[in-house]
Amino acid sequence: MSELNKNIAEYALRIGDTSLILGQRLAEWCGHGPILEEDIALTNISLDLIGQSRAFLTYAGEKEGNGRSEDDLAFFREARTFKNRLMAEQPNGDYAQTMIRQLFLSVYQYYFYTELMKSKDETFAALAEKSLKEVTYHVRHSSEWTIRFGDGTEESHVRTLEAVDTLWKYTGDLFETDQIDADLKKAGIAVDMDVVKTSWDKKIREIFETATLTIPQEGFMIGGSVAGMHTEHLGHLLAEMQVLPRSFPGVEW
Amino acid sequence: MNKTNYSEKEIYNLIAGIPDPEIPVITIEDLGILREVSIKDDKILISITPTYSGCPAMKAIENDIKEILSKHDIGPVEIKTVFSPVWTTDWISDEAKEKLRVYGISPPEKSSSDKNVLLNRHVYCPRCNSTNTELISQFGSTACKALYKCKDCLEPFDHFKCH
């Protein structure tokens, strides 16, 4: 496998894993949504994300060249080889926490895909264009709830602030890069993460202002996702997500 | 297996009429899901494109295509999912949009290239044509639809989202 293909496979894995893990988290709400419409909304968003993840993981498997399918990559890897952003694996918490996590990630994906559409890698560019259309709806959904909760009752305002407090330390990890990013960026394939971060900061600031929420002071950030370092939550999530294919390898629906 | 008896066009026509599994009044051709049929080295290549990345109907559509072709003894067949050019509701013909409306689904507006249209709220009621409608949930019974309510005739309805 060439160095370039290896890097592209890794880059596709990072994108696909973030969508997959967030999709799995949202699927945990299935049947537990606070109202029927929200139950449907979260599972629809989950479906979009898992669909996006399938395409990126399939591409990662192709570029890796070892014959691994999307399912092999999703169900037969250990936590340390997952490259999803730490934000995606954070627990659902209450609805405010789910929505703030969604807002942070949807806005991140929105600007990430906007940049990735310009990639010289045609598969990345096409998948980015496709995903962006879906993510546009996700941003709208989570920003409306953020505003409704933040500028809502005293209780909803406090709980949203608590959610922001819990999740803010994982926002730095969204924009972490390493040598693979640098090499692929030079080749015109990877995005410029500084551009994504600037747009993300601006958009979150705007939404928070409308929602009467304050951005936390700069503080300690937890990173490590590009190196496969995770919070304790990922292992538990994988145990549930992977149990069936691991217990019955080769099982079919 | 006797692929030489059928041209690319004939194979296309055989499968073009497959109904969408979720919205059976329109076909995979109407929706723009069926992209291309080509014959290369004794193999039939069929390209389809998903409406939404996670649309579960894609698998059902693949199975329907395989079933029809195997009935006609056509093969071997490879079905490829393509992502470029990216699917848009602009590919749905006016005739198919009318079929959607009669079926009770408010069809998508034109030109999804404009982000403002993508999130447009001026949606027609498929029953009384009123634009006095209200969004209940931007996510509906399938990935491609949102749920609305008409404030004139008071009927709830599905809207095929502009994409």
Side-chain angles (χ1 to χ4, degrees), chain B residues 13-28:
Chain B
N13 289 339
L14 275 176
I15 57 176
I18 292 173
D20 179 85
E22 298 280 0
I23 313 167
V25 290
I26 48 174
T27 67
I28 59 172

Side-chain angles (χ1 to χ4, degrees), chain A residues 1-11 63 121 124 180 183-185 187-189:
Chain A
M1 178 174 36
S2 77
E3 187 67 18
L4 181 66
N5 278 349
K6 197 176 140 197
N7 284 349
I8 291 176
E10 177 69 15
Y11 201 68
K63 284 290 175 182
D121 181 291
F124 279 148
I180 292 172
D183 290 348
L184 286 179
K185 199 178 117 191
I189 293 171

Side-chain angles (χ1 to χ4, degrees), chain A residues 40 44 129-130 133-134 137, chain B residues 50-51 53 86 118 162-163:
Chain A
I40 294 169
N44 261 290
E129 190 182 355
K130 176 106 206 131
K133 287 190 178 202
E134 292 158 3
Y137 283 102
Chain B
T51 53
S53 300
V86 64
L118 205 67
C162 200
H163 205 66

Side-chain angles (χ1 to χ4, degrees), chain A residues 123-136:
Chain A
T123 303
F124 279 148
L127 293 180
E129 190 182 355
K130 176 106 206 131
S131 305
L132 183 62
K133 287 190 178 202
E134 292 158 3
V135 168
T136 302

Side-chain angles (χ1 to χ4, degrees), chain A residues 37-38 40-42 44-45 47-55 110 114 122-123 126-127 129-142 144, chain B residues 49-56 83-89 112 115 118-121 135-145 147-148 161-163:
Chain A
E37 286 79 4
E38 283 308 295
I40 294 169
L42 292 191
N44 261 290
I45 295 170
L47 189 65
D48 286 343
L49 290 167
I50 292 171
Q52 291 161 16
S53 151
R54 289 185 61 185
Y110 183 90
T114 302
E122 282 173 18
T123 303
L127 293 180
E129 190 182 355
K130 176 106 206 131
S131 305
L132 183 62
K133 287 190 178 202
E134 292 158 3
V135 168
T136 302
Y137 283 102
H138 307 171
V139 170
R140 176 173 161 192
H141 177 257
S142 54
E144 281 179 0
Chain B
T49 195
T51 53
Y52 279 70
S53 300
C55 183
F83 291 94
S84 185
V86 64
W87 181 81
T88 160
T89 42
S112 57
K115 282 264 166 51
L118 205 67
L119 300 177
N120 193 355
R121 286 159 192 267
L135 176 74
I136 296 175
S137 170
Q138 55 170 313
F139 298 93
S141 55
T142 64
C144 54
K145 287 178 284 180
L147 195 59
Y148 277 76
K161 284 188 269 194
C162 200
H163 205 66

